[in-house]
Amino acid sequence: EPYLALPAFYQRKRDLFRAGLAQTRFKLLPGEGTYFQCVDISEVSDLSEAEFCQWLTREIGVAAIPLSAFYGDSFDQRVVRFCFAKKDETLNAALARLASL
């Protein structure tokens, strides 16, 4: 029974996070069946994915994962991913920080 509620649980978190990100300069990318939201960072920063993620964590206090980390040749598409499998308070705090960029 608890497992049957998981899709709605994560969809609500996804919808909350996507709605907040839609108010920022990040370009939302489609995603299904995941608890990660990928975004294009081109309008937010000129840094590489890896540099942007390090800067974002250190200076803004929000963690993201560069997609280039999953490629052997560090292919940089200017796309990072955020995990939305977090408490609502954590998501809202991250969204408030990301809105300032």
Side-chain angles (χ1 to χ4, degrees), residues 6-99:
L6 284 177
F9 175 81
Y10 282 114
Q11 182 169 347
R12 189 189 61 73
K13 290 192 175 290
R14 183 200 66 192
D15 293 347
L16 168 77
F17 197 60
R18 282 183 63 90
L21 283 176
Q23 306 302 311
T24 70
R25 297 185 319 158
F26 291 102
K27 180 182 175 191
L28 293 167
L29 301 175
E32 294 183 21
T34 181
Y35 44 84
F36 291 100
Q37 175 61 57
C38 291
V39 297
D40 183 314
I41 62 169
S42 299
E43 297 295 319
V44 178
S45 175
D46 291 329
L47 296 172
S48 71
E49 293 172 4
E51 292 170 327
F52 177 77
C53 288
Q54 291 175 4
W55 172 84
L56 188 67
T57 303
R58 288 185 184 128
E59 301 299 323
I60 307 301
V62 177
I65 303 163
L67 285 193
S68 58
F70 299 100
Y71 294 96
D73 62 357
S74 298
F75 177 58
D76 192 319
Q77 302 176 77
R78 316 249 319 127
V79 174
V80 303
R81 70 184 198 169
F82 295 105
C83 179
F84 56 81
K86 309 285 182 191
K87 294 178 181 178
D88 287 359
E89 303 83 49
T90 302
L91 295 176
N92 288 323
L95 289 167
R97 292 175 183 190
L98 294 172

